[in-house]
Amino acid sequence: MKVEGLLGFLGAALGIGFSLMVLVIPDISQALEEESFFFYMLTIGSLVLSGVGLAGSFIVSHKPRLGGAMMVAAAIGCTMSISIMFLLPIVLLAVGGLIALINYEEAASVGE
């Protein structure tokens, strides 16, 4: 697995873990002072988008453009979550996706 796949995998795994922690452990949402339906919907959205980032981290080795776009989209979508806990997964997904996209563009320009 390349560096971008590894970064995407770590970011997505942390995003899924943090989302499940917020959904399962009610004390976390109380500590964040958010116990609304909207907060839980944003957390579920972050869980789904982290799954998209996880799929992108596996796809990036075969299709770097698609996998990188999926990881960047997951990072952008996860910024909707209110919790500061998602900062590390967002950064890891974004960096991994951007590395995949930049390497794809460089390989395409060298091949011409």
Side-chain angles (χ1 to χ4, degrees):
M1 184 177 283
K2 294 183 180 179
V3 173
E4 56 268 17
L6 183 62
L7 288 173
F9 177 76
L10 289 174
L14 285 173
I16 290 171
F18 291 157
S19 296
L20 289 175
M21 276 190 345
V22 169
L23 289 173
V24 173
I25 303 171
D27 292 337
I28 293 175
S29 60
Q30 289 174 355
L32 297 172
E33 299 177 0
E34 294 287 336
E35 288 191 41
S36 64
F37 178 74
F38 185 68
F39 178 74
Y40 287 111
M41 293 309 296
L42 286 176
T43 305
I44 290 172
S46 295
L47 178 66
V48 170
L49 288 169
S50 294
V52 170
L54 184 65
S57 72
F58 289 118
I59 292 173
V60 78
S61 62
H62 302 291
K63 297 181 180 179
R65 191 174 193 182
L66 177 63
M70 289 173 72
M71 289 191 289
V72 170
I76 291 171
C78 284
T79 58
M80 294 183 306
S81 71
I82 300 169
S83 176
I84 193 71
M85 292 187 335
F86 288 98
L87 184 62
L88 183 61
I90 290 168
V91 170
L92 289 173
L93 280 168
V95 168
L98 290 175
I99 288 173
L101 290 175
I102 290 170
N103 284 345
Y104 175 77
E105 296 297 327
E106 286 178 0
S109 66
V110 169
E112 292 179 357

